Amino acid sequence: MIRILIVEDEKPIADLLDMSLTAAGYVCDCINNGTDAADAAASRRYDLILLDVMLPGIDGFELMEYLAPLEIPVIFITAKNSVKDRVKGLKLGADDYIVKPFEIAELLARMETVLRRYHKTDTKIVLGDVTVDTQSRVVTRGGQPVNLTAKEYALLLFFLQNKNIALFRETIYERVWENDYMGDSRTVDLHVQRLRKKLGWEERITAVYKVGYRLEVNE
Amino acid sequence: MKFAFKVTLSALTVMILAVSIGSYALITLSFRTSLERETKVAQEELKMLRGSYEALCGARGVTIENLDASSRGVNRAAQESPYFRDHQFRVTGPRGVIYSNLPSQSDSGLLELTGPQTSAYVIRCDADTDQIQIHCAGPVLLPDGVLYMETARDISSIYAARETHYTLYRWVLLAVAFLGGGLLLIISTLLTRPIKSLEKGAQRIAQGDYSSRVPVEGSDEVSLLAESFNHMAETVEKNIEALEEAAQHQEDFTASFVHELKTPLTSIIGYADILRSQELPEELRLKAAGYIFSEGKRLENLSLSLMTLLVVGHTDEDMAEISAQRLCETVRRATQPSLAAHDLRFSAQAEDGAILGDMSLLETLLINLLDNARKASPPGSTVTLTGQRLPKGYRFTVEDQGRGIPEQDLKFITEPFYMVDKSRSRAEGGAGLGLSLCRRIVELHHGAMTFESREGEGTRVQVTLGGGAHA
């Protein structure tokens, strides 16, 4: 279980992060000012801190100086886009710097990179008899390696990142094929069919009427 | 070349020229005087010799006719006489030289210039003796003709003296050039030192040290220049500071604006993304949609406020005499419902009077101030708008019994995007531009706006405008 501390004074954004990260399987705490954030970071073991720069009370940069000795990875989230601010943030010891407005998918990808750097993510994902090693990109089923194409592998990872969430076909296509959805859903259907067959997941990946697909995990 | 060198060089040139001309004139004058004196002496000598010789010839009865016979006698007499022996001369008759004890026998053709009535002289360099001589010639009158007498006086010493003077003069000139030059260099370096320090000061300023000043000593032109320079540096420093401040202002404004713009955008994009990519439970979907709506509203508010702020002052304001009471009534009608909805008591009263201004802008101003009062006031408290005629103007006062403004925030509240309580302003849908707009409107009317506030007791805003004539 990976625990994330969200320090953001704008409630809509804090809620947005909470909602998205919870859906992605993280556990989140939201705090809306610098002073409380410092206390929280000191009292509880967090794996990652998402830190807004413009905060009431102590601002993000000042807070960073306090957080640095705790050795918790920090990603700045800010509207300040100048090179000067980026350099300042990174020099203070932040691991990454994301500028508003950002997309959740990008944030998740960057968070994973940072967490992997700190060896906080499991490189092995196990689901039933299927094991995915995200480092060597090897997928096995019952100990036997399964041959997946690059797109199939990306599709599998996307499902694993969004367990139990009904995903629209359009979104799947956009995220996996990294193209805007052109209206042809057969590509997605085709790949889902192949993935189901190769992994024996006919029951796990269920079709959701008028929406798309969902990876069902009962834990 | 350094300025000190230039000064030294030009002064030295003038000095050398003056010394040269002076010395040359002095040497030449002294030489001429000596020469004239020697000439006079030579002529006197010749005159005396001629007289004596004439007397001798007369005593001996010498004539041209018996010259050949008598000349020997005369010559002998001349040789024997100590007087004639002491002088060197030559006597020439019609048939050649009669007597001569001159060391050199060279002839300078002087006799051709000489007549029975005239004598002549010439200065020549004698080829035989290498002397410079004054060669004089004059007639010796005999009863039946003329003999000619010549003398030669050595004046080499005068010329030698002139040469000596010239040599001396050259040494003096050399000494003057070296000593004077050195002295001049020291003096001019000392004199140009303030210029040097001025130059260094200018360099420091050019390199960005705008607080640098140069020392001012004495009261001559250079120190006046230094003073002016310092004055200039001060002005430059002030201007730079003002520019930096303006740039900082601009930067702050941009940063705040970007923040205000990007925050709602992030939410809108993020929630919309969640909505379109996942099937959410009803509760979450409503929450996301709610945020998209409220953040969209916030963007709309921001753009409207910003537009108003940017447009005010760039369009032609309709400045006219307007009735204070009518303005007050319009504002009262516009704000009454929202104040009543927040359970506030509201009273609006204005004295009779006229204001010079733009009706719609002044409405915006007062509505904004009343809106702020509403946001700050707890339910059940009172908000008042009063208009008061002044001897030279008109004053509106907006008073509330709300939460007040902390003292340290008071001077910032009219800055764009400044919010005393960010989370509360947000909840009210503010972007922090209202009071900036008010300040802008008051500035356009050449009026004044003052805030008095006590935390927890209330705030009083006074707006003083021009006008004031009886409506």
Side-chain angles (χ1 to χ4, degrees), chain A residues 12 15-16 100 166 168 174, chain B residues 262 271 276 278-279 291:
Chain A
D15 278 357
L16 172 69
K100 291 178 192 171
F168 286 97
E174 205 180 294
Chain B
K262 284 187 173 178
Y271 285 112
R276 75 182 185 129
Q278 305 168 15
E279 201 192 37
Y291 273 133

Side-chain angles (χ1 to χ4, degrees), chain A residues 9-13 15-16 19-20 54 79 81 99-102 165-168 171 174-175 211, chain B residues 251 258-259 262-263 265-267 269-271 273-279 284 287 291 295 298 422 426:
Chain A
D9 64 318
E10 298 279 347
K11 191 152 181 2
I13 292 183
D15 278 357
L16 172 69
M19 207 186 276
S20 317
M54 279 189 173
N81 195 16
V99 179
K100 291 178 192 171
F102 54 84
I165 293 169
L167 298 163
F168 286 97
T171 319
E174 205 180 294
R175 293 288 152 74
V211 176
Chain B
E251 205 173 294
V258 165
H259 183 258
K262 284 187 173 178
T263 305
L265 271 179
T266 309
S267 300
I269 294 172
Y271 285 112
D273 193 33
I274 289 181
L275 280 179
R276 75 182 185 129
S277 61
Q278 305 168 15
E279 201 192 37
L284 280 182
K287 191 175 174 187
Y291 273 133
E295 293 298 286
R298 186 170 144 196
K422 226 170 129 185
R426 287 264 178 283

Side-chain angles (χ1 to χ4, degrees), chain A residues 141 193 196-206:
Chain A
R141 182 186 168 196
Q193 290 304 333
R196 274 175 171 163
K197 209 170 175 181
K198 283 183 178 176
L199 298 175
W201 277 7
E202 283 86 357
E203 300 294 310
R204 275 204 196 278
I205 302 178
T206 55

